């Protein structure tokens, strides 16, 4: 993710509306993990998403002055091969929030994480 982002930065810097949207999960939230003793302990997966969240914040801080918005999105429980298609959302529904964040207006939020539920509405995801 870092290698790809760094490779794309020269192109993003030439764009009038550059956006970076990283896909995360609530499983990467340290806030949620520390508040719930029954939080799923998928060590490698959770740790990788927590690291992705930290890198998202680092890029947001680094690129803020250039107007490049960097955010993380948890699209919700999407039916995919990874979960045996047991998710609540279709892939089309799951794509809505990442697309919304990729097309934010200039001056939109940066350095945040958002998530969606079955209602397809979004709300902040605690880091």
């Amino acid at each position: 993710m870092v290698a790809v982002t760094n490779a794309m930065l020269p192109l993003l810097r030439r764009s009038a509306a550059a956006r970076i949207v990283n896909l995360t999960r609530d499983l990467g939230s340290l806030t949620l993990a520390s508040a719930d003793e029954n939080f799923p302990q998928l060590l490698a997966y959770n740790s990788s998403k927590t690291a992705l969240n930290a890198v998202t914040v680092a890029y947001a801080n680094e690129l803020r002055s250039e107007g490049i918005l960097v955010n993380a999105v948890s699209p919700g429980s999407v039916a995919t091969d990874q979960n045996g298609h047991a998710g609540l959302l279709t892939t089309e529904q799951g794509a809505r929030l990442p697309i919304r964040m990729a097309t934010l207006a200039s001056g939109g939020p940066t350095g945040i994480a958002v998530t969606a539920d079955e209602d397809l509405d979004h709300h902040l995801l605690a880091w």
Side-chain angles (χ1 to χ4, degrees):
M1 174 260 163
V2 171
V4 170
T5 300
N6 286 341
M8 300 307 269
L9 279 175
L11 292 173
L12 289 167
R13 285 188 166 114
R14 285 188 260 171
S15 171
R19 307 290 178 260
I20 298 172
V21 179
N22 295 318
L23 292 181
T24 192
R25 284 286 314 274
D26 56 346
L27 296 174
S29 169
L30 293 174
T31 301
L32 296 177
S34 64
D36 182 356
E37 65 186 46
N38 296 314
F39 197 77
Q41 297 302 311
L42 307 169
L43 186 59
Y45 187 78
N46 293 17
S47 299
S48 71
K49 291 303 184 182
T50 301
L52 177 125
N53 293 345
V55 171
T56 298
V57 171
Y59 275 119
N61 288 335
E62 177 185 338
L63 300 171
R64 181 177 279 116
S65 65
E66 298 178 55
I68 299 175
L69 305 181
V70 185
N71 295 298
V73 173
S74 175
S77 178
V78 180
T80 65
D81 290 344
Q82 185 175 357
N83 62 22
H85 298 276
L88 302 173
L89 304 175
T90 67
T91 53
E92 291 81 9
Q93 291 170 319
R96 290 180 185 173
L97 186 54
I99 291 169
R100 189 178 313 154
M101 296 303 285
T103 56
L104 286 172
S106 182
T110 191
I112 65 168
V114 294
T115 187
D117 289 321
E118 308 81 61
D119 59 8
L120 300 180
D121 199 14
H122 73 280
H123 51 89
L124 288 177
L125 177 63
W127 291 118

